[in-house]
Amino acid sequence: KKQATNYQNIMIIAVYMILYSILRFSLEFIRIDDTPLFLNLRWPQIISILLIIISFITLIFYPHAKKNI
């Protein structure tokens, strides 16, 4: 039962990180301050993209890793 709870917590955190990062990425287009750009994106947007990728990898590969244990 503890493994099931741990698995659910990790999935909830991954989904939350994806949704939060999408919101953060979108809100950065509205901001007015001078944030440095890289590849025509602001740094918080780049970090949001990285978090989305990491969270998707977690959602895809964590269930498979759990079956192998």
Side-chain angles (χ1 to χ4, degrees), residues 28 30-37 41-44:
E28 282 299 319
I30 300 171
R31 294 187 63 147
I32 301 172
D33 63 343
D34 287 334
T35 303
L37 297 177
L41 292 172
R42 299 165 148 243
W43 281 109

Side-chain angles (χ1 to χ4, degrees), residues 4 7 10 16-17 22-23 25 27 30-32 34-36 40 46-47 49 53 56 59-60 63 66 69:
Y7 172 76
I10 290 174
Y16 171 79
M17 292 302 295
I22 291 170
L23 176 68
F25 182 84
L27 289 176
I30 300 171
R31 294 187 63 147
I32 301 172
D34 287 334
T35 303
N40 212 21
I46 294 170
I47 293 170
I49 290 171
I53 292 169
F56 269 120
L59 282 175
I60 293 169
K66 183 179 178 249
I69 294 176

